[in-house]
Amino acid sequence: MRLPDLSDLAVSGATLAVRVTPKASRNRIERDGDVLRVYVTTVPENGKANTAVKKLLAKALGVPKSHLSLVRGETSRDKQFEIYSSSGRE
């Protein structure tokens, strides 16, 4: 699996708009203007897809999963993630 380099978006305090497609044929991330389209093979049950999206985003951004927080859209396909610095939440 080859992910795009999203390290330019890894700014503390930044909010990322994400459109999620669960049950995809493969995991991948695409840029679509200001929105990231994230495709995960995981099913949307009990937060499994959210966990997979967070893991995929963290890898593409080059930040630990603990520096990403889902701030909006827990049960929606449209989500917002916030990036926190290594010194903690600001």
Side-chain angles (χ1 to χ4, degrees):
M1 165 181 60
R2 183 152 158 63
L3 294 175
D5 179 16
L6 301 177
S7 59
D8 59 309
L9 301 176
V11 178
S12 181
T15 302
L16 303 174
V18 177
R19 173 78 173 184
V20 176
T21 301
K23 298 193 303 184
S25 60
R26 64 186 172 105
N27 292 332
R28 69 182 191 273
I29 299 175
E30 297 175 358
R31 284 192 188 203
D32 186 15
D34 292 338
V35 176
L36 295 175
R37 295 189 175 270
V38 180
Y39 300 84
V40 292
T41 58
T42 314
V43 294
E45 294 175 349
N46 302 321
K48 292 177 186 176
N50 288 339
T51 302
V53 168
K54 187 174 183 179
K55 182 178 178 181
L56 211 59
L57 276 176
K59 188 171 184 178
L61 290 164
V63 300
K65 291 181 293 194
S66 61
H67 292 193
L68 283 177
S69 177
L70 178 60
V71 293
R72 183 173 293 134
E74 187 173 330
T75 60
S76 171
R77 290 178 60 162
D78 296 312
K79 304 181 183 300
Q80 285 189 343
F81 283 88
E82 189 168 350
I83 303 171
Y84 295 101
S85 70
S86 58
S87 61
R89 296 181 177 185
E90 296 176 4

